[in-house]
Amino acid sequence: CKDGGIFKKILVEGEKWENPKDLDEVFVKYEACLEDGTLISKSDGVEFTVGDGYFCPALAKAVKTMKKGEKVLLTVKPQYGFGEDGRPATGGECAVPPNATLHITLELASWKSVSDITKDKKVLKKIVKEGEGYERPNDGTVVQVKLIGKLPDGTIFIKKGYDEEPFEFKIDEEQVIDGLDKAVKTMKKGENALITIQPEYAFGSSDSHQELAVVPANSTVYYEVEMVSFVKEKESWEMDTPQKIEAAGKKKEEGNALFKAGKFERASKRYEKAVSFIEYDSSFNDEEKKHAKLLKVNCNLNNAASKLKLKDYKQAAKLCTKVLELDSGNVKALYRRAQAYIQLVDLDLAEADIKKALEIDPDNRDVKLEYRVLKEKIKEYNKRDAQFYGNIFAKMNKLAGKQEAAPMAIDSKA
């Protein structure tokens, strides 16, 4: 702990290199004694969540530095034991006197890794059995799983892949609930996991009739999942040039369909994937480069439209800039970048883009309408500025008046 509060002597080296994290569930064996050798607590196996701790603060602190199978001797000062108050005798265990230093033999027998899939603790995945290798599914991967879905009281509402062929679905195609989709994407072949999904990523605020039971509104649900196998989509480095262009075109069309359905975040991901296939075109011939350039322009333009819908104005402006680097006279790119700049209150830059777009296409109705929006914004901000500076000048004049009055008062007394 860098303060001399806990010293750790390794008695048996552990395996591999990983250490448990706060969300992980560890299984430990320990024996705790006072300095005179009096046994105060012992367990041949206890499981706890690292972040919650167990017995005394030293166990959680120490276990985060240990590897699987590691056995250590801890010398624990009172601030990481039971402090100034000590601990009364409890449940057949001896009392711990105030300000006692402890000696704890601790073995990390095993642990179950728990990961926060959505970074808000609303989808948690606990690995029960490690999978094989390093490969995991990506968007568009067809996965085959066995799964059981349960309610908090243990009621099974869905069971698939056990009495028939494994249940098959495609990642990021909304074929299963969002939390399950996200969690399965992190699994390796052969992995078994328990997945806890809160309502926001499950069935939400309405009752949902599932295969074997109704999932009540606002339910947290639990899935036992085994990743049987998966077939990933080809990555760009595995494709020849015609395949890259074909894959990019396919992803663009998928993005367009999602955009029309109002699924802007998923559409954006499709456009990004499309561009990734054709981003590096040094091996393309002239005709292929021409085709790839058109695809890049269309995908980045459509992605900019998605980002505007998602209110990610900085990213929308960047995507339009990429289009203009390829096609400096692209009116749609100028128009969409102007829209982004207006929202970012870069009004001078917005005006420059609109004026350039109108030079190229003087009759463009959308650009003309956006120019009106811009002019209204400029008026609004000019009015605000006038009011702001007016208030400042009024305060300065008031202050100056007070400063002039002060010497007069002194003079009259003199």
Side-chain angles (χ1 to χ4, degrees), residues 294-325:
L294 184 60
L295 275 169
K296 280 184 210 173
V297 165
N298 288 335
C299 288
N300 282 328
L301 265 179
N302 293 351
N303 198 5
S306 301
K307 296 296 185 185
L308 286 170
K309 292 285 188 183
L310 294 165
K311 295 183 167 51
D312 187 352
Y313 302 117
K314 281 187 180 177
Q315 201 56 40
K318 281 181 186 174
L319 287 161
C320 291
T321 300
K322 283 185 179 181
V323 172
L324 291 163
E325 284 167 0

Side-chain angles (χ1 to χ4, degrees), residues 10 27 38 46 53 64 81 93 123 127 131 150 156 194 212 247 288 337 351 355 358 381 391 400:
I10 296 175
F27 184 76
T38 302
V46 64
K64 284 165 80 170
E93 293 185 345
V123 179
I127 296 175
K150 295 180 181 179
I156 295 174
L194 298 176
L212 302 174
E288 287 164 345
R337 190 167 71 173
E351 188 167 27
K355 283 181 174 176
L358 287 172
Y381 279 96
N391 289 339

